[in-house]
Amino acid sequence: MSSTDPRKTVFVTGASSGFGAAIARRFAADGHRVIAAARRIEKLDDLAAQLGPAVLPVALDVRDDAAVVETMANLPSDFAAVDVLVNNAGLALGLGPAQEADLDQWEQMIATNCTGLVRCTRALLPGMVERGTGHVVNLGSVAGTYPYPGGNVYGATKAFVHQFSLNLRSDLHGTGVRVTSVEPGLCGGTEFSVVRFGGDQEKAANVYDGVQPLTPEDIAETVHWATSQPRHVNVNAIELMPVAQSFAPFQIHRE
Ligand code: NDP
Ligand code: 8X3
């Protein structure tokens, strides 16, 4: 945010669906400029058509290093000074045991959830530090703190997101740039489970059967709240779950 313009410029990765689209809507509703990035440009174009010219759709695969550098370096002047980066693009693939997992799926999760996230961050941090203001919001997960069967690499990528967020705070000490890790539990109304189960709509729907999960709007409100605090406040991490979700006992294998 410049000293004369109260509007923020918000860069949201994974804005074609779920949390990212809801986050783009939430910031646009307040009159902020939003760069909405994802691979499916047609979905971003639809979002921009609904939300107006303050939303800039950008085709970006966060796994593509050259594209990340090129995109961040060539933002139109109105959108170039990014105040808030929301590293939301991410995915889980599969829910099977590690000993049966598909290595390509593991690599895709690491490339998107970890490498893509750090590349986007690295590309925008120097500008934020130079301007003495900025906020990086990373989408972690309860899966990064609590293990569950089949969570293996997905949970590990989210543990990475949590620790990277805290370590960023150390490096950014004294710069005025803030960092927040948002770590939700079960959330419906997104493509997350359809993607996890390779397009199996029925299996995905069963995850939310008879449950009132979190909604993408809950997450958007959380991101908006964390980034709307006074400049002396840094929200380090927020963990949230639906009331319907809690913790299970440890498993004991008996002979
Ligand atoms: P969705 O599947 O609905 O959205 C994921 C978004 O990420 C899509 O917009 C997708 O767009 C984008 N994306 C995926 N891969 C890439 C890529 N390589 N480059 C750019 N964009 C990419 O899921 P959610 O909204 O539920 O998830 C958003 C984030 O929240 C993820 O990081 C997820 O791990 C996390 N999360 C989700 C929870 C849930 O229960 N739903 C709970 C906790 C955390 P496109 O395909 O167009 O590229
Ligand atoms: C998504 C939440 O519990 O499905 O990160 O892993 S969970």
Side-chain angles (χ1 to χ4, degrees):
M1 184 168 40
S2 81
S3 55
T4 53
D5 186 349
R7 288 178 299 170
K8 295 176 189 167
T9 299
V10 184
F11 195 116
V12 185
T13 68
S16 61
S17 166
F19 298 178
I23 292 164
R25 286 181 196 284
R26 182 65 187 84
F27 280 97
D30 270 3
H32 299 302
R33 300 182 194 89
V34 177
I35 302 150
R39 292 167 300 179
R40 289 171 297 173
I41 188 68
E42 67 287 353
K43 289 199 172 269
L44 301 172
D45 287 340
D46 286 351
L47 188 71
Q50 291 167 34
L51 299 179
V55 175
L56 176 72
V58 170
L60 178 66
D61 184 335
V62 298
R63 296 169 304 173
D64 182 339
D65 181 29
V68 169
V69 170
E70 161 91 14
T71 298
M72 304 306 196
N74 293 296
L75 291 168
S77 56
D78 276 5
F79 291 86
V82 173
D83 299 290
V84 181
L85 166 64
V86 185
N87 277 313
N88 163 76
L91 77 176
L93 294 170
L95 194 59
Q99 62 273 24
E100 292 168 15
D102 178 335
L103 277 167
D104 289 340
Q105 292 190 331
W106 278 8
E107 283 181 4
Q108 194 180 333
M109 287 189 278
I110 294 166
T112 310
N113 303 358
C114 301
T115 314
L117 180 145
V118 303
R119 288 190 190 286
C120 290
T121 305
R122 179 65 181 83
L124 290 179
L125 272 187
M128 290 182 176
V129 171
E130 196 180 322
R131 292 186 294 277
T133 182
H135 201 144
V136 179
V137 180
N138 294 325
L139 258 296
S141 167
V142 295
T145 302
Y146 310 102
Y148 60 80
N152 46 67
V153 165
Y154 176 69
T157 66
K158 295 304 186 179
F160 175 97
V161 170
H162 175 87
Q163 197 61 23
F164 179 60
S165 304
L166 295 184
N167 282 340
L168 273 180
R169 287 226 58 229
S170 294
D171 288 358
L172 293 165
H173 185 77
T175 66
V177 179
R178 300 188 279 182
V179 185
T180 302
S181 176
V182 175
E183 301 165 8
L186 187 74
C187 185
T190 84
E191 297 177 4
F192 179 82
S193 290
V194 176
V195 171
R196 175 170 240 172
F197 296 125
D200 186 333
Q201 300 277 352
E202 195 182 337
K203 212 167 166 184
N206 286 341
V207 173
Y208 313 101
D209 190 34
V211 180
Q212 185 174 350
L214 297 172
T215 67
E217 290 69 33
D218 294 328
I219 309 307
E221 201 53 44
T222 302
V223 172
H224 186 270
W225 176 81
T227 56
S228 303
Q229 296 309 298
R231 287 205 50 191
H232 67 283
V233 176
N234 192 98
V235 179
N236 293 343
I238 305 179
E239 180 183 293
L240 65 162
M241 280 178 165
V243 174
Q245 184 178 36
S246 65
F247 308 100
F250 287 122
Q251 308 177 84
I252 310 287
H253 174 70
R254 301 181 196 280
E255 298 297 337

